[in-house]
Amino acid sequence: TQLLEQSPQFLSIQEGENLTVYCNSSSVFSSLQWYRQEPGEGPVLLVTVVTGGEVKKLKRLTFQFGDARKDSSLHITAAQPGDTGLYLCAGAPPDSWGKFQFGAGTQVVVTP
Amino acid sequence: SAVISQKPSRDICQRGTSLTIQCQVDSQVTMMFWYRQQPGQSLTLIATANQGSEATYESGFVIDKFPISRPNLTFSTLTVSNMSPEDSSIYLCSVIGTSVPSSYNEQFFGPGTRLTVL
C-alpha cells in the first residue's frame, strides 16, 4: 500500500496571505492529482502533475511534482475567501488500473 | 473529463432501513468506484465496480451491507443496508478517465449523496 501523507491538516489564514500544502510519500506515483472540495459537494479536480519536477500554475495556485515523483506541493498566493475548502491530493499508482491513494486532506479557511 | 450525476443528493433515513444511491456517467467507463467520506475527512474506498463482474470490496466493507450493481458501462448503484447512525456520511461515486492526448489516468467524482441516519 502506498501511503500519501498530507500536511498540515488544518490551515487558517487571513485574506491576502500565502499558504502551502504538502503531500509526501515513500513510493513513486505515475501522476498526482489535487482536488478542492467545498461543503456538500464532491471533490473537483484542479490539476494533474505527471512529470518529475513539473510545475503547473492555475491562476494563483502553483502545483509542483517532486523530481522523484514521490511528493507534491500546492502553493496559493494572496489567498481569497473563495479558496476556502478541503484540499485533497491523490496519487496514481504505477500500474494502469490500480487504486488511487488519497491524502488525509487539508482544511483551508481564508477569512476576510 | 467525465460528468457524473448522483441521486439522491441527500436523504434522511430511519435506522434499520436501506437506501439505494444511483450513479450515472455521461460516457462509458470500465471502472467505477464508491467512496465514503465522513465530515471534514478524506475519502475511504468502499468498493470497485466493474461491469459484468462482482464488485471488489475493501477491507471493512462487505457485500451484505453495501451491495453494488453495475448493469452497464454508464451506471451503478450502491445500497446501504440495515442502516445505523454510524452510516451517516457522504457517499461518492467516481470514475477513472484517460486524458487525451497525454494518456494518463485521472479520477473524477460525482457530487455526492449526503446521508443522515436517525
Side-chain angles (χ1 to χ4, degrees):
Chain A
T1 301
Q2 299 172 291
L3 295 179
L4 201 51
E5 296 182 355
Q6 192 172 340
S7 63
Q9 284 187 311
F10 182 80
L11 207 49
S12 180
I13 60 172
Q14 296 286 321
E15 182 176 3
E17 294 182 340
N18 303 331
L19 68 96
T20 303
V21 179
Y22 300 93
C23 256
N24 295 294
S25 175
S26 59
S27 302
V28 175
F29 294 101
S30 60
S31 66
L32 195 138
Q33 301 175 354
W34 286 94
Y35 297 85
R36 180 170 63 218
Q37 184 179 23
E38 299 186 16
E41 299 181 8
V44 175
L45 180 63
L46 295 174
V47 78
T48 300
V49 285
V50 181
T51 306
E54 181 177 10
V55 176
K56 281 190 174 179
K57 291 193 175 184
L58 187 66
K59 297 183 180 178
R60 293 175 294 100
L61 279 61
T62 302
F63 304 86
Q64 186 164 7
F65 203 13
D67 291 340
R69 291 186 291 137
K70 294 181 179 181
D71 54 86
S72 180
S73 64
L74 156 62
H75 183 78
I76 301 179
T77 304
Q80 299 177 359
D83 296 323
T84 293
L86 180 68
Y87 288 81
L88 296 159
C89 61
D95 56 315
S96 298
W97 297 110
K99 293 168 286 191
F100 282 57
Q101 184 69 42
F102 281 84
T106 296
Q107 183 65 52
V108 172
V109 176
V110 183
T111 54
Chain B
S1 66
V3 178
I4 305 169
S5 60
Q6 283 184 236
K7 290 181 182 179
S9 58
R10 59 177 59 228
D11 207 342
I12 300 174
C13 301
Q14 295 296 320
R15 181 196 299 261
T17 62
S18 297
L19 175 72
T20 296
I21 302 168
Q22 298 179 6
C23 178
Q24 180 76 51
V25 189
D26 68 341
S27 57
Q28 294 185 338
V29 292
T30 303
M31 300 172 77
M32 294 179 75
F33 303 88
W34 287 98
Y35 286 84
R36 184 169 72 182
Q37 185 181 31
Q38 303 287 344
Q41 302 294 314
S42 188
L43 310 176
T44 301
L45 182 62
I46 297 172
T48 303
N50 294 330
Q51 194 266 336
S53 63
E54 284 195 4
T56 303
Y57 290 83
E58 297 299 303
S59 176
F61 297 96
V62 295
I63 188 172
D64 290 345
K65 175 68 176 177
F66 297 100
I68 288 171
S69 78
R70 183 81 200 275
N72 57 53
L73 292 174
T74 64
F75 186 79
S76 178
T77 66
L78 168 75
T79 299
V80 186
S81 303
N82 189 24
M83 288 184 285
S84 67
E86 291 71 35
D87 294 319
S88 296
S89 192
I90 298 172
Y91 291 85
L92 295 153
C93 72
S94 112
V95 303
I96 290 180
T98 302
S99 70
V100 178
S102 307
S103 298
Y104 53 79
N105 290 337
E106 296 180 314
Q107 191 162 8
F108 302 96
F109 288 88
T113 296
R114 183 182 295 273
L115 171 62
T116 301
V117 184
L118 303 178

